[in-house]
Amino acid sequence: MIVCGDDGLAHRLAAELRGVYGEQVTLVVPPSGRRVRQPVVGRARAASAALLDRVSAAVNRTGASGEPAANEQVVEAAEVTEAVLTEVGADRAAALALVYDDDETNIRAALTARRLNPRLRLVLRLYNRRLGQHIEELLDQTAAVASGDGQGAGLDASTTVLSDADTAAPALAATALVGTSKVVQTEGLVLRAVERQPPRPGEVADPGLCTLALLSATSNDPAGADGSEGSGEQGPRLLPDEAAVAAATGRGTVVLEQVSYSGPSLPTGRGGVPPFASLFSRRLRWSLAGLVGCVLALAVALMFVTGEHPLYATYVTLLDLFGINDPAYHASTGRQVLQLLSGLVGLLLLPVLLAAVLEALGTFRSASALRKPPRGLGGHVVLLGLGKIGTRVLTRLRELHIPVVCVESDPEARGMATARRLRVPVVLGDVTQEGVLEAAKIHRAHALLALTSADTTNLEAALYARSVRPDLRVVLRLYDDDFATAVYRTLRAAHPFALTRSRSVSHLAAPAFAGAMMGRQILGAIPVERRVLLFAEVDVAGHPQLEGRTVGEAFRAGAWRVLALNTAPPGGRRGEEESPEGEGASPASGLVWDLPPTYVLGAGDRVVLAATRRGLAELLGRRRRERAGA
């Protein structure tokens, strides 16, 4: 396995391949002097960032003895050229991951690698999803043509394009929502999991649809280790069996709350057309309503004075209003008074109509401009940073119809266009300066998502927000996983009654990239404290742990659990007449949920399962050994 990258994701991915899958890894990184460093934004301290970089490099690149791991080879190269790929053995490698922060660098290296080895499995990190689809099709077609028959029969090569932003965004967005802490979404498939508080003594935790994990026994301790790998039985337990759930009194659970299919949703305010209510200010709307009320009152009065039909009385009132009726010289006194009042109302109507036209024009002109947080806004999410991660999280939040206020220091940031399109309020300014978070209504916010590219900036903003609102829900994006754990424990000890979550993007994204390198389709990842639960779509054929077994027999506690069956007919799948019946069937997605434990998994089935990283590695490793033996 070869991993090429220039940031923490490359090191985390290499560690994932070594520790979970036991693979021999060659890590290609830039020379020390040219390695990408975290930007320091605002008043973030440069010394802290430099120290963090040195600690991160020491943790990621060396083992306990200060040397690279035994099954890892580190090669320093300024660029991934054909000579470098040949030197690291790309012509005979099983898989290559290109996880540089620059899309163009990854594409150029992928084209070179595919030419060197058509059978090489490629995993690319690309932010541009549309370009990624085209690149994936191009590289797969190249591999098929190189196989000789143009179809790629028997060829194990494949190309997978992933984005660390897309992989981490659901978990970051979901952590800020009420009642939802874990979400995996892909092509309309939505898996939602929630953390439930530990039951009282003598009670049994409610398993919901399915119990995915038991939280660590120290999760209620403000200084708990948050499920560290060395916590043993006190740490979180992924995919427990029924006996473990029944015996887990006093421990919280992560349960599957909802599994549904949702079609594509259109973003709010598409096309830049504002809703009708936003064309006019509240004061102007009240003025128009008052004038309409005056006209109706004059029409009713005229009807009583003259005894005319209501429609005719209204018509005459409008004529008097616009000054086009004949003067009522010989009419009664009441009629003359009403005509004078109608003329006066007509004079008041003219400036109101002019103001309405000007406001409407101004609203349309500013539809593409940045909006300011409206007065009285509350219960919203304050999102700091509109970079790659922040833009994806913003899109997720708006799809869930969550009110958001963004804070960004760069007017030309990547996500500014998305904020304009979605008509999301944006505050321009440095989050470390006084008054910026106040302008975002942080004192009335429901949650804070600190997603800038500088750890110290995120931490400083979180600490200031805590001083304003001690009970505020805070989610921090932190570059280094060890630093994220330390920040979480400290903030939780200082604010035991407030929800704090620290998330490392590389920690959330690495399992999906590693699974793709091993040839496994990873639908998503759900973080459970400091561990990760993977959701994958797996062909039953070739897996003795699944094929020919019932759903109940296929379940292995702490390793994997079958959640759903894909009944789609293409690819030799089982027909509808043999598919199990159940209320969870979704015709749009071809998935059947709530499978009966007695249902037998056949060779033509494809299942969606939840698995630990080591459990998925065991499933894949056995099949790879069988292929190698054949």
Side-chain angles (χ1 to χ4, degrees):
M1 298 286 176
I2 303 175
V3 177
C4 304
D6 56 359
D7 59 9
L9 179 58
H11 296 283
R12 183 74 191 186
L13 177 55
E16 187 85 11
L17 293 172
R18 294 193 316 268
V20 177
Y21 297 95
E23 293 289 336
Q24 182 75 28
V25 181
T26 299
L27 181 60
V28 181
V29 295
S32 300
R34 300 185 55 179
R35 207 158 295 164
V36 175
R37 298 172 62 87
Q38 295 185 86
V40 179
V41 183
R43 296 184 302 170
R45 295 171 178 82
S48 299
L51 177 60
L52 178 61
D53 284 346
R54 290 195 295 270
V55 173
S56 300
V59 171
N60 288 324
R61 294 203 50 188
T62 62
S65 61
E67 298 295 334
N71 56 345
E72 175 182 301
Q73 177 186 1
V74 179
V75 176
E76 293 188 348
E79 296 181 3
V80 185
T81 61
E82 183 174 348
V84 172
L85 291 174
T86 302
E87 178 185 353
V88 298
D91 54 338
R92 58 185 183 276
L96 168 65
L98 298 166
V99 293
Y100 289 95
D101 192 52
D102 179 52
D103 288 2
E104 182 179 350
T105 301
N106 293 328
I107 294 174
R108 185 186 300 112
L111 296 174
T112 303
R114 179 61 78 207
R115 186 175 67 254
L116 288 176
N117 186 357
R119 293 182 173 273
L120 182 65
R121 184 182 297 114
L122 293 175
V123 178
L124 279 73
R125 170 191 184 183
L126 295 182
Y127 179 79
N128 191 327
R129 289 177 289 187
R130 180 175 300 179
L131 176 61
Q133 294 176 358
H134 295 310
I135 292 296
E136 187 172 326
E137 295 173 0
L138 173 63
L139 294 175
D140 283 345
Q141 180 64 22
T142 302
V145 172
S147 66
D149 57 3
Q151 302 295 327
L155 194 65
D156 194 28
S158 65
T159 304
T160 304
V161 176
L162 298 174
S163 169
D164 57 333
D166 286 331
T167 305
L172 291 170
T175 310
L177 305 182
V178 176
T180 303
S181 58
K182 315 287 190 300
V183 167
V184 174
Q185 179 175 347
T186 173
E187 299 180 357
L189 175 65
V190 178
L191 304 175
R192 175 181 294 182
V194 296
E195 290 185 8
R196 291 187 175 173
Q197 296 298 322
R200 297 177 181 177
E203 296 181 351
V204 178
D206 185 0
L209 296 177
C210 170
T211 301
L212 298 177
L214 295 173
L215 298 178
S216 61
T218 59
S219 60
N220 294 323
D221 180 8
D226 192 23
S228 63
E229 296 297 331
S231 54
E233 292 296 327
Q234 300 297 319
R237 298 184 61 179
L238 304 182
L239 302 175
D241 54 18
E242 295 181 0
V245 174
T249 56
R251 297 182 67 169
T253 58
V254 177
V255 300
L256 193 64
E257 183 185 61
Q258 176 183 354
V259 180
S260 62
Y261 179 83
S262 61
S265 59
L266 295 176
T268 304
R270 184 172 223 182
V273 179
F276 178 78
S278 65
L279 291 176
F280 311 110
S281 65
R282 184 178 181 182
R283 182 179 301 177
L284 185 59
R285 292 198 300 268
W286 279 110
S287 300
L288 290 173
L291 288 176
V292 171
C294 290
V295 172
L296 293 177
L298 290 173
V300 172
L302 183 62
M303 181 184 65
F304 282 105
V305 170
T306 61
E308 300 290 348
H309 189 272
L311 292 179
Y312 182 78
T314 303
Y315 173 70
V316 173
T317 301
L318 291 176
L319 291 179
D320 294 336
L321 187 71
F322 293 114
I324 57 179
N325 199 10
D326 293 332
Y329 290 122
H330 304 291
S332 63
T333 303
R335 172 72 181 88
Q336 292 176 348
V337 171
L338 289 177
Q339 189 177 56
L340 291 175
L341 292 177
S342 298
L344 179 61
V345 173
L347 294 177
L348 298 177
L349 179 63
L350 183 61
V352 174
L353 292 178
L354 180 61
V357 172
L358 294 177
E359 275 201 8
L361 290 176
T363 301
F364 276 109
R365 288 178 179 178
S366 61
S368 60
L370 295 177
R371 300 182 63 197
K372 295 182 179 180
R375 294 181 179 179
L377 179 65
H380 58 288
V381 174
V382 177
L383 175 62
L384 309 184
L386 286 175
K388 294 193 303 182
I389 305 297
T391 303
R392 292 288 192 255
V393 173
L394 172 61
T395 303
R396 295 279 182 173
L397 291 174
R398 294 306 297 134
E399 287 175 353
L400 297 174
H401 306 290
I402 303 299
V404 184
V405 174
C406 299
V407 179
E408 175 56 53
S409 60
D410 183 9
E412 304 298 328
R414 186 190 298 266
M416 296 298 284
T418 302
R420 291 190 183 96
R421 177 173 57 85
L422 298 179
R423 305 191 73 245
V424 174
V426 178
V427 176
L428 286 176
D430 189 345
V431 298
T432 61
Q433 294 179 353
E434 296 182 2
V436 175
L437 287 178
E438 284 81 356
K441 316 293 185 184
I442 191 65
H443 57 286
R444 290 200 297 265
H446 166 71
L448 170 69
L449 276 169
L451 306 179
T452 70
S453 56
D455 286 1
T456 50
T457 300
N458 294 335
L459 181 57
E460 184 174 352
L463 293 176
Y464 179 76
R466 275 275 184 262
S467 65
V468 177
R469 279 275 307 276
D471 60 339
L472 183 68
R473 184 189 301 255
V474 173
V475 182
L476 294 89
R477 169 207 173 183
L478 296 178
Y479 181 83
D480 182 76
D481 187 53
D482 294 333
F483 184 53
T485 303
V487 168
Y488 168 81
R489 296 180 62 184
T490 304
L491 288 178
R492 185 160 185 179
H495 302 277
F497 300 105
L499 180 59
T500 304
R501 289 292 183 267
S502 57
R503 295 289 181 245
S504 167
V505 174
S506 61
H507 176 81
L508 297 174
F513 280 82
M517 291 188 70
M518 302 301 296
R520 184 63 54 220
Q521 183 180 1
I522 303 296
L523 300 179
I526 283 181
V528 179
E529 298 184 4
R530 308 313 305 170
R531 300 181 184 177
V532 176
L533 189 63
L534 302 178
F535 289 80
E537 191 172 358
V538 178
D539 288 316
V540 173
H543 296 288
Q545 304 95 327
L546 304 177
E547 187 176 355
R549 297 176 180 266
T550 65
V551 173
E553 294 172 346
F555 169 58
R556 178 177 296 183
W560 60 77
R561 179 171 190 165
V562 176
L563 298 178
L565 175 69
N566 189 344
T567 59
R573 301 285 182 261
R574 182 171 299 191
E576 294 181 359
E577 66 279 358
E578 300 182 16
S579 62
E581 298 180 357
E583 297 180 356
S586 175
S589 62
L591 295 176
V592 177
W593 303 95
D594 298 332
L595 292 173
T598 57
Y599 176 72
V600 180
L601 301 174
D605 287 332
R606 171 175 290 185
V607 295
V608 175
L609 53 81
T612 63
R613 293 180 293 180
R614 295 188 182 277
L616 193 61
E618 181 181 348
L619 274 175
L620 180 62
R622 177 171 295 187
R623 187 171 185 179
R624 290 184 66 208
R625 289 191 296 269
E626 291 175 354
R627 285 183 177 180

